[in-house]
Amino acid sequence: MLLVHYADLERDLEGTMREIAGRLEIEVDEPAWPALVRAASFSEMSVRADALLPDRNGVLKDPDAFFRRAGTGGMKTHQP
């Protein structure tokens, strides 16, 4: 099992993707990395949300929102 924290993806998407590929023993040609990283960015996935998240059952109110940036505004936190 490999757990990936959202903050790691935001901080270093390419490095995290390379770590995942390494753990899964997936070889990626070096010239392919820039396009893969660009396609995996949250902003790029948001633009293609309808294609990436087919919602045949109508569960998602807004597929674009699935890829929104998380942060203190996107998550409720409990503070004592």
Side-chain angles (χ1 to χ4, degrees):
M1 179 183 294
L2 175 63
L3 299 177
V4 179
H5 195 280
Y6 184 89
D8 294 336
L9 294 169
E10 281 207 319
R11 183 181 61 252
D12 183 11
L13 179 58
E14 182 173 348
T16 304
M17 289 175 63
R18 287 178 180 270
E19 181 180 348
I20 293 168
R23 295 265 185 112
L24 296 175
E25 298 179 357
I26 297 171
E27 292 185 28
V28 177
D29 292 333
E30 197 60 36
W33 278 109
L36 291 173
V37 172
R38 191 171 37 258
S41 70
F42 293 107
S43 60
E44 183 67 24
M45 288 191 295
S46 178
V47 169
R48 299 179 43 229
D50 288 335
L52 296 173
L53 289 171
D55 188 22
R56 293 181 189 103
N57 297 322
V59 174
L60 299 173
K61 291 180 182 176
D62 181 6
D64 296 343
F66 183 84
F67 295 110
R68 75 179 185 281
R69 291 182 58 96
T72 55
M75 299 175 3
K76 295 192 186 292
T77 58
H78 174 69
Q79 297 196 8

